[in-house]
Amino acid sequence: MGLGGTIAKEIGGLSFLRSLIISNNTFHGFIHDEMGKLSQLRKMEMQYNELNGAISTSFGFLENLKKLNLSYNKFNENIPNGIFNLSSLIEIDLRQNSLSGNLPTDICYNLPKLEILRISVNQISGYIPPSLGTCTNLKLLSLSYNNFAGSIPMEIGNLSELQILNLGRNN
């Protein structure tokens, strides 16, 4: 649509909003904490914009969220741990940003429905958490082009539904 500008914090007042799709535009700036008030939100797609700053920790309050796609933006800093506690999530796509830090050691303990996890092309470091092996519904796991070190955890072998595994271009 060629839309641009910043995302107004007043969107957080749309309490019955179920889908927020603003992909393929030129929105810039950061996402306000008010977005965490969208308690009915099921789908958030903001890929291919110019959003930056930290991903709001308020996203950890979106308890009905099934799909989170913030790929192809300019987000930086750590991924808020609250995102990995949203038990309704089926898809997390954060690829092609400038995210840093480590993945939590208990990354999959609260993600029983997760099928897609894309965090490739960022600056995530540390080890690949063995707890990824508890995401038993995972079909796609892409952690490529980061700064992960060490070996591939044996627990990845528990992912019997896994169809795509991309761990290339790490340490």
Side-chain angles (χ1 to χ4, degrees), residues 152-169:
I152 299 170
M154 290 186 333
E155 291 81 357
I156 296 289
N158 297 336
L159 302 175
S160 59
E161 300 292 319
L162 196 64
Q163 298 170 17
I164 298 171
L165 175 62
N166 190 351
L167 303 175
R169 298 292 184 160

Side-chain angles (χ1 to χ4, degrees), residues 2 17 26-27 38-39 41-43 48 53 55 59 62 74 76 78 90 95 99 114 121 125 135 137 141 143 152 162:
L17 193 66
T26 56
F27 287 106
L38 298 172
S39 61
L41 200 64
R42 307 278 195 277
K43 185 187 294 188
Y48 294 103
I55 296 172
F59 282 13
L62 301 174
K74 298 175 182 174
N76 55 31
N78 297 344
I90 295 170
R95 66 188 146 154
L99 298 167
L114 193 65
V121 194
S125 56
C135 279
N137 290 314
L141 174 61
L143 303 176
I152 299 170
L162 196 64

Side-chain angles (χ1 to χ4, degrees), residues 32-81:
H32 297 276
D33 288 339
E34 282 79 6
M35 294 289 256
K37 296 178 183 176
L38 298 172
S39 61
Q40 299 300 313
L41 200 64
R42 307 278 195 277
K43 185 187 294 188
M44 181 184 291
E45 296 185 29
M46 297 183 171
Q47 68 269 27
Y48 294 103
N49 278 289
E50 297 173 17
L51 298 168
N52 58 37
I55 296 172
S56 176
T57 57
S58 71
F59 282 13
F61 298 116
L62 301 174
E63 60 188 33
N64 291 304
L65 197 63
K66 295 179 185 292
K67 181 175 184 176
L68 175 64
N69 192 336
L70 303 176
S71 61
Y72 296 92
N73 277 289
K74 298 175 182 174
F75 289 110
N76 55 31
E77 298 188 29
N78 297 344
I79 302 169
N81 284 347

